[in-house]
């Protein structure tokens, strides 16, 4: 996979099966963020001790439905100095 291809959404290659990605460069480090989709969670599981009205207001502010929070799942690939590191916090 090429960071060059990842940073140009209009360019096609066989690795275009990834649903969403973007690349950036931080100094000498190449960073590629890859989306692994979205995990819909019941909104009540986000803040079990929060006031229901405050949670609903926050979800509305975040343009989310009141009953489900769509949690984006991403992994990060970091390349520097001939090394490649996959960061997956899930």
């Amino acid at each position: 996979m090429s960071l060059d291809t990842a940073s140009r959404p209009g360019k096609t290659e066989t690795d275009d099966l990834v649903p969403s990605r973007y690349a950036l460069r931080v100094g000498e480090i190449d960073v590629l963020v890859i989306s692994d989709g979205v995990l819909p969670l019941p909104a009540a599981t986000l803040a079990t001790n929060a006031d229901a009205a405050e949670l609903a207001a926050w979800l509305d502010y975040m343009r989310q439905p009141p009953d489900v929070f769509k949690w984006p799942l991403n992994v990060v690939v970091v390349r520097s100095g001939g090394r490649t590191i996959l960061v997956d916090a899930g």
Side-chain angles (χ1 to χ4, degrees), residues 2-3 5 9 12 53 57 65 71 73 84 86-87:
S2 161
L3 282 176
T5 302
T12 60
W71 198 282
L73 304 173
T84 301
L86 173 68
V87 179

Side-chain angles (χ1 to χ4, degrees), residues 1-2 5-6 12-18 21:
M1 174 172 39
S2 161
T5 302
T12 60
E13 282 189 11
T14 57
D15 63 345
D16 280 343
L17 297 176
V18 177
R21 62 180 178 229

Side-chain angles (χ1 to χ4, degrees), residues 50-68:
D51 178 71
E54 289 180 20
L55 178 58
W58 181 80
L59 288 167
D60 183 58
Y61 175 76
M62 298 300 289
R63 294 184 169 79
Q64 294 286 325
D67 55 342
V68 176

Side-chain angles (χ1 to χ4, degrees), residues 20-36:
S20 177
R21 62 180 178 229
Y22 62 92
L24 60 131
R25 190 164 183 91
V26 180
E28 296 295 317
I29 301 170
D30 292 318
V31 180
L32 176 62
V33 179
I34 304 170
S35 171
D36 195 22

